């Protein structure tokens, strides 16, 4: 991947560490059945450790969606006719996700995509946190943080 548009190609891990040094949170964009064939919870742990804070896909593999929430990563799903292809994404875009303070299970959030030429586009994404329990895990940064906070009280 590239650390910034125009930068040289480097391993994903190296680019992710540079983004972490810059305090930049990452978004992954995927297709259908995202997470299928993953090594279960380690796939979600790796995603979190790379600094990914949200994943926007056409659909999720059921267990992987749940594992992402358990690691504090927000699963979002494209709705209607909007997807990675209709948006013509090339990987250089910036994403702003708003509505997180009012997040509800299966609610919608607004996503702004800003391109390198300065133009932007908006779309709504479905929050794939499906239950109040999952929302509690997510708001606490994942299952481990949720459990530790409950033990401390």
């Amino acid at each position: 991947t590239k650390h910034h548009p125009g930068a040289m190609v480097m391993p994903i891990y190296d680019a992710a560490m540079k983004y972490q040094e810059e305090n930049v949170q990452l978004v992954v964009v995927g297709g259908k059945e995202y997470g299928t064939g993953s090594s279960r919870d380690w796939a979600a742990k790796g995603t979190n450790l790379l600094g990914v804070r949200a994943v926007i896909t056409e659909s999720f593999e059921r267990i992987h969606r749940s594992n992402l929430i358990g690691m504090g990563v927000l699963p979002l799903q494209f709705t209607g006719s909007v997807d990675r292809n209709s948006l013509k994404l090339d990987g250089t875009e910036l994403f702003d996700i708003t509505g997180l303070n009012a997040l509800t299970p299966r609610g919608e959030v607004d996503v702004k995509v800003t391109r390198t030429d300065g133009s932007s586009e908006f779309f709504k994404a479905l929050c794939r946190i499906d239950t109040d329990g999952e929302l509690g895990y997510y708001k606490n940064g994942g299952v481990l943080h949720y459990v530790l906070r409950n033990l401390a009280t």
Side-chain angles (χ1 to χ4, degrees), residues 3-115:
H3 174 240
H4 286 291
M8 56 186 238
V9 174
M10 65 176 61
I12 290 172
Y13 177 82
D14 293 342
M17 294 304 101
K18 285 180 176 276
Y19 281 122
Q20 281 188 16
E21 288 171 12
E22 298 168 355
N23 236 4
V24 174
Q25 298 178 355
L26 303 177
V27 174
V28 168
V29 177
K32 294 178 182 172
E33 292 299 316
Y34 179 83
T36 299
S38 67
S39 59
R40 300 297 181 190
D41 62 330
W42 270 105
K45 287 175 186 169
T47 301
N48 174 288
L49 291 171
L50 288 173
V52 174
R53 297 298 167 246
V55 175
I56 308 171
T57 69
E58 294 174 45
S59 64
F60 288 93
E61 188 276 331
R62 181 181 55 86
I63 299 296
H64 189 66
R65 179 199 63 80
S66 178
N67 287 339
L68 288 170
I69 296 165
M71 291 291 112
V73 177
L74 180 63
L76 299 174
Q77 190 169 322
F78 291 112
T79 60
S81 62
V82 175
D83 63 19
R84 60 197 164 89
N85 296 316
S86 69
L87 292 168
K88 297 182 173 102
L89 302 176
D90 66 14
T92 61
E93 300 83 6
L94 296 176
F95 290 80
D96 290 309
I97 301 169
T98 57
L100 298 180
N101 291 337
L103 203 56
T104 60
R106 298 199 58 88
E108 289 186 332
V109 296
D110 293 314
V111 181
K112 177 183 177 185
V113 178
T114 303
R115 301 181 189 289

